[in-house]
């Protein structure tokens, strides 16, 4: 039973989550382009929003890139570069820990602002509140894995997750078995991450896929008010 659930959650669920992420985002952008925004409430508690948002986004960006590079870069590449598994493990703990802590501080400020200000709470949708809470829990779980990683400084545990992530992207049918015996906190962290991917197209998180690059070459414009006779 345990092996079946492991295969279901870590062998099949990733494809469901990633498919919904890709297809759902394309459909939403095509059918509801005007909903493709973060829906900011910056007029209320602006200072707390700005500080919390900067800390959260800065930390999450480092964490996301770290996960992306760390998990999907072939192990052979690190070996070729002479980067040992223990060194990579320590770097992941150090950089990821600092970035995760910064992001958690920012997320906590955003959660406090959204839940404890009556006006913001009234103007927040269920999805707005749920997604920031999910991200907060995900950050807590991620930081919790550091305590377990400190017991595996040889890097062997990390290599298992690299093999799983890369196995998913090359459609390795045995990918789920690589983390069968992993600690439950790691597994919960992965499951919640996949669930966030699944919910991504239906929340304000879609704004992460939009970068205001076009503003770099967009020509400037000037609004001119003219006086016209109505006689």
């Amino acid at each position: 039973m345990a092996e079946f659930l492991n295969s279901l959650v870590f062998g099949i669920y990733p494809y469901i989550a990633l498919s919904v992420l890709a297809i759902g985002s394309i459909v939403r952008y095509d059918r509801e382009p005007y909903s493709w925004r973060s829906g900011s409430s910056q007029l209320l508690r602006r200072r707390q929003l700005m500080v919390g948002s900067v800390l959260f986004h800065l930390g999450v960006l480092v964490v996301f890139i770290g996960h992306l590079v760390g998990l999907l870069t072939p192990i052979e590449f690190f070996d070729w570069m002479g980067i040992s598994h223990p060194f990579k493990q320590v770097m992941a703990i150090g950089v990821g820990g600092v970035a995760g802590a910064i992001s958690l501080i920012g997320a906590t400020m955003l959660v406090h602002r959204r839940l404890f200000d009556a006006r913001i709470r009234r103007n927040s949708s269920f999805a707005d509140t749920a997604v920031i809470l999910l991200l907060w829990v995900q950050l807590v779980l991620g930081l919790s894995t550091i305590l377990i990683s400190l017991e595996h400084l040889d890097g062997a545990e990390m290599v298992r997750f690299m093999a799983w992530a890369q196995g998913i992207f090359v459609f390795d049918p045995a990918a789920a078995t690589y983390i069968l015996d992993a600690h439950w906190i790691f597994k919960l962290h992965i499951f919640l991450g996949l669930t966030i991917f699944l919910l991504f197209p239906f929340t304000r998180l879609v704004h992460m896929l939009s970068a205001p690059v076009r503003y770099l070459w967009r020509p400037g414009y000037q609004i001119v008010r003219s006086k016209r006779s109505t006689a």
Side-chain angles (χ1 to χ4, degrees), residues 30-101:
D30 180 63
R31 300 189 61 178
E32 301 179 23
Y34 293 108
S35 71
W36 196 276
R37 57 190 178 85
S38 62
S40 176
S41 55
Q42 60 181 330
L43 294 178
L44 304 174
R45 288 204 182 190
R46 180 181 175 82
R47 180 176 177 80
Q48 184 175 356
L49 171 65
M50 296 304 295
V51 174
S53 182
V54 169
L55 292 176
F56 173 73
H57 285 88
L58 179 63
V60 162
L61 182 62
V62 174
V63 169
F64 180 75
I65 293 176
H67 277 66
L68 198 64
V69 174
L71 291 174
L72 298 182
T73 301
I75 300 173
E76 293 76 15
F77 178 80
F78 289 109
D79 294 339
W80 177 73
M81 291 288 292
I83 301 176
S84 66
H85 296 164
F87 178 78
K88 185 174 182 292
Q89 179 74 76
V90 172
M91 284 294 294
I93 291 174
V95 177
V98 172

Side-chain angles (χ1 to χ4, degrees), residues 132-218:
I132 188 60
L133 288 175
L134 282 176
L135 291 170
W136 188 90
V137 172
Q138 180 71 336
L139 287 167
V140 171
L141 287 173
L143 290 172
S144 299
T145 63
I146 293 178
L147 300 176
I148 304 168
S149 297
L150 289 172
E151 301 175 3
H152 303 278
L153 293 179
D154 58 352
E157 192 76 2
M158 177 187 59
V159 171
R160 295 172 61 184
F161 292 107
M162 292 174 65
W164 168 78
Q166 294 169 32
I168 291 297
F169 278 90
V170 299
F171 301 99
D172 182 354
T177 63
Y178 301 150
I179 58 173
L180 177 62
D181 300 322
H183 196 283
W184 67 268
I185 290 183
F186 282 109
K187 288 189 171 184
L188 186 57
H189 183 56
I190 293 174
F191 173 75
L192 186 55
L194 292 171
T195 301
I196 292 173
F197 285 158
L198 182 76
L199 299 175
F200 187 96
F202 313 105
T203 67
R204 61 165 55 198
L205 290 176
V206 292
H207 78 278
M208 294 173 57
L209 298 178
S210 299
V213 179
R214 66 187 182 90
Y215 287 98
L216 296 177
W217 62 77
R218 187 185 70 175

Side-chain angles (χ1 to χ4, degrees), residues 5 44 59 109-110 153 175 207 222:
L5 289 176
L44 304 174
M109 294 178 67
L110 296 178
L153 293 179
H207 78 278
Q222 181 178 8

